[in-house]
Amino acid sequence: MPNANEDNPTALSQVQRRAVSELLRVSPVADDLARRFQDAGFGLALVGGSVRDALLGRLGNDLDFTTDARPEDVLKIVRPWADSVWDVGIAFGTVGAQKDGPVGDAVQRFQIEVTTYRSEAYDRTSRKPEVSYGTSIEEDLVRRDFTVNAMAVALPEKEFIDPHGGLEDLALRVLRTPGTPEESFSDDPLRMMRAARFAAQLDFEVAPEVVSAMKAMAGRIEIVSAERVRDELNKLLLSANPRKGLALLVDTGLAAYVVPELPALRLESDEHHRHKDVYEHSLTVLDQAIALEEDGPDLVLRLAALLHDIGKPRTRRFEPDGRVSFHHHEVVGAKMTKKRMTALKYSNEMVKDVSRLVELHLRFHGYGTGEWTDSAVRRYVRDAGPLLDRLHKLTRSDCTTRNKRKAGALSRAYDGLEERIAQLKEQEELDAIRPDLNGNEIQEVLGIGPGPMIGKAYAFLLELRLENGPMERDAAVSALKEWWASQ
């Protein structure tokens, strides 16, 4: 490992000690693979994010390697050694593998990718990078996105390779590009989004010249496929501090091409029409939703928190009394959410769940602060369905008032609703509310076959169930016959 930088010896020596510890942990697997490449006449180096994470003391079981061996040679070396191999990325020079290896007294499973030295660039119209193989690790490192990802450790000798000052930038917690930012972003415009993602994931600052290039080249992101943009956005949203990355996307103009609804939330307000900054409010709701997560990052909840108010700009009205209204912004917002997420190629299920949460996020306030009736509780649970727990979190997060008395009152009101839900769940099946008679029983009682009237009868009984709760069979049959007589 290199000597500590004289200007910042403490920070660099700390990251070096962490790196040595992390590399020793994965050495048995990494060195074993490196010797196999060596025996075949090739070099192998741990590279990129793996080296960065080792220096940060957070190296996981995903290991990235680079080599001068071509993909077909990599396959010949890796196949007899790995527990499993996949070549879905071979067109881009990458071979994947899985290997169980010793770590101390335990055995851990490693996910490994080996990529041939390469260079890649977009032309002005392509949505896919053109790949050409390189001949040296220095050539490979200069095409990496940021200096902190342009470091390598040659194996098995553990020679540290850092031609672009990545170690120092890591100690300073700053993102710079190995070459000029313009060259880097021209090669792959998605790197502009990666800058925002790494800022959020690692809590790094982005160098001023990099930010300037992002602003100047933001429109180039349009040449990248929606799927790659979506995946990068997801990584940003699932990071420890997505607000930081999202703010960078908005401030540089990238968000205008990726999620234009987000910068549109920066509504202008004047001295006569004061209202919350919807953009800042949305970021705060996202922060508060994250704080309520119980089982790790929840992408559906985070997307819903970010997008819940995107219908406000289209529905804003200045009322005669000086107030500002956003009537039905939840309905408009749900449609906008569906359209944006579909454009970003999210799964149908995720589009459905997020847009449904956006549509329901005001439902709680529609009931006022009074005592909830059993009927209202049943409808709330029925409408939320499997999204109920997320709706609880979203609704609570949506309270960003600084008025402690008002915030306390809203919190107590929602506590009351959750208590009512729990009480009713003890008395009846709230999670799967259905009529007291099924379709076959309805046909039998009415003496008719399948058809649209069965659906209408079912809807009538469901409404009765929601309003009154469970009914005895005889009472349900009587109510159904009375309804049928009126048709």
Side-chain angles (χ1 to χ4, degrees):
M1 301 299 287
N3 294 323
N5 182 288
E6 293 178 3
D7 295 330
N8 197 3
T10 303
L12 287 183
S13 59
Q14 286 176 346
V15 295
Q16 289 168 327
R17 282 196 296 272
R18 283 196 293 263
V20 169
S21 172
E22 293 289 271
L23 292 173
L24 284 174
R25 183 177 67 82
V26 303
S27 274
V29 167
D31 288 353
D32 185 19
L33 182 59
R35 289 191 187 95
R36 290 172 181 269
F37 273 80
Q38 208 172 46
D39 292 344
F42 300 108
L44 187 74
L46 197 67
V47 74
S50 292
V51 177
R52 179 201 69 222
D53 288 344
L55 290 164
L56 290 172
R58 44 173 276 173
L59 180 60
N61 291 350
D62 293 345
L63 302 180
D64 294 329
F65 297 93
T66 189
T67 180
D68 56 338
R70 294 301 171 94
E72 57 271 20
D73 294 314
V74 174
L75 281 173
K76 289 177 184 176
I77 297 168
V78 170
R79 273 200 172 120
W81 172 80
D83 298 323
S84 59
V85 174
W86 53 93
D87 58 6
V88 291
I90 201 163
F92 299 101
T94 298
V95 173
Q98 184 174 288
K99 176 72 173 179
D100 291 346
V103 176
D105 297 329
V107 174
Q108 291 187 12
R109 178 158 295 172
F110 290 91
Q111 303 294 333
I112 291 165
E113 285 193 350
V114 183
T115 303
T116 303
Y117 299 156
R118 65 187 185 185
S119 60
E120 60 186 39
Y122 280 86
D123 63 31
R124 289 288 165 186
T125 56
S126 173
R127 284 184 172 269
K128 293 184 178 179
E130 299 174 355
V131 175
S132 60
Y133 297 126
T135 56
S136 72
I137 194 165
E138 289 76 17
E139 187 182 1
D140 181 83
L141 294 178
V142 76
R143 58 154 284 276
R144 301 271 165 172
D145 51 8
F146 303 105
T147 59
V148 296
N149 295 329
M151 299 178 283
V153 177
L155 300 171
E157 59 271 20
K158 308 287 193 303
E159 178 194 351
F160 188 75
I161 305 168
D162 181 24
H164 305 289
L167 183 63
E168 185 173 357
D169 285 344
L170 194 72
L172 295 172
R173 305 183 72 81
V174 65
L175 289 174
R176 303 184 199 277
T177 52
T180 69
E182 290 78 10
E183 289 173 335
S184 182
F185 297 155
S186 182
D187 283 349
D188 185 353
L190 191 68
R191 290 174 176 173
M192 294 185 286
M193 286 194 66
R194 286 167 66 85
R197 190 247 291 186
F198 285 129
Q201 275 186 339
L202 305 173
D203 196 23
F204 279 24
E205 298 305 317
V206 181
E209 69 273 15
V210 177
V211 173
S212 295
M214 291 169 70
K215 289 178 178 178
M217 302 178 68
R220 283 279 285 152
I221 197 67
E222 289 189 298
I223 208 152
V224 181
S225 70
E227 291 85 354
R228 293 185 74 213
V229 169
R230 174 205 63 210
D231 291 347
E232 201 59 51
L233 180 62
N234 288 348
K235 290 173 185 176
L236 189 162
L237 286 171
L238 292 172
S239 69
N241 184 19
R243 175 193 276 262
K244 185 170 187 174
L246 290 167
L248 187 60
L249 291 182
V250 171
D251 292 342
T252 57
L254 274 163
Y257 298 95
V258 177
V259 192
E261 296 80 4
L262 186 58
L265 292 176
R266 284 178 154 173
L267 297 176
E268 294 179 7
S269 58
D270 59 43
E271 58 183 340
H272 303 296
H273 298 111
R274 294 186 181 279
H275 59 269
K276 284 180 183 176
D277 181 323
V278 185
Y279 168 70
E280 284 295 331
H281 164 75
S282 297
L283 294 183
T284 301
V285 172
L286 174 60
D287 288 339
Q288 294 184 169
I290 291 170
L292 294 176
E293 290 173 341
E294 297 163 313
D295 301 313
D298 182 344
L299 185 59
V300 169
L301 176 63
R302 293 188 182 198
L303 280 164
L306 181 66
L307 303 175
H308 76 286
D309 272 348
I310 62 171
K312 279 191 170 180
R314 290 191 185 178
T315 57
R316 181 170 64 159
R317 297 289 181 272
F318 296 117
E319 304 295 351
D321 61 2
R323 293 184 304 109
V324 180
S325 66
F326 304 96
H327 294 307
H328 306 300
H329 77 266
E330 73 281 13
V331 177
V332 173
K335 292 177 180 177
M336 292 171 65
T337 297
K338 183 177 181 181
K339 183 177 180 181
R340 176 54 49 203
M341 290 185 65
T342 300
L344 287 170
K345 309 290 187 180
Y346 280 94
S347 69
N348 291 336
E349 183 179 3
M350 186 164 283
V351 172
K352 176 184 171 186
D353 287 349
V354 176
S355 56
R356 183 62 167 158
L357 284 169
V358 171
E359 183 182 1
L360 293 174
H361 83 271
L362 283 185
R363 185 66 58 88
F364 165 73
H365 302 283
Y367 290 107
T369 56
E371 178 68 22
W372 283 58
T373 64
D374 288 354
S375 173
V377 173
R378 291 188 195 101
R379 293 175 194 280
Y380 192 81
V381 173
R382 189 274 309 268
D383 290 347
L387 297 171
L388 182 63
D389 186 56
R390 286 183 173 121
L391 184 58
H392 288 333
K393 293 182 174 70
L394 178 60
T395 303
R396 288 186 180 277
S397 302
D398 196 21
C399 176
T400 60
T401 179
R402 294 179 182 176
N403 184 321
K404 291 185 178 180
R405 185 184 59 79
K406 185 177 179 182
L410 280 170
S411 180
R412 287 191 297 276
Y414 208 84
D415 288 342
L417 170 59
E418 291 202 53
E419 288 171 10
R420 298 281 292 109
I421 291 172
Q423 290 167 4
L424 270 184
K425 278 187 174 181
E426 289 182 4
Q427 300 168 23
E428 51 187 272
E429 281 189 74
L430 274 193
D431 292 329
I433 295 177
R434 56 179 66 86
D436 296 283
L437 301 175
N438 62 33
N440 290 331
E441 290 170 318
I442 291 171
Q443 291 181 52
E444 184 181 330
V445 170
L446 300 183
I448 60 175
M453 289 310 297
I454 300 301
K456 290 183 179 180
Y458 190 92
F460 162 75
L461 287 174
L462 178 59
E463 188 65 24
L464 207 61
R465 169 72 173 79
L466 286 166
E467 192 64 35
N468 301 324
M471 299 174 66
E472 295 292 337
R473 177 182 167 81
D474 289 349
V477 168
S478 177
L480 177 62
K481 287 180 176 178
E482 186 177 332
W483 170 83
W484 182 244
S486 69
Q487 296 303 298

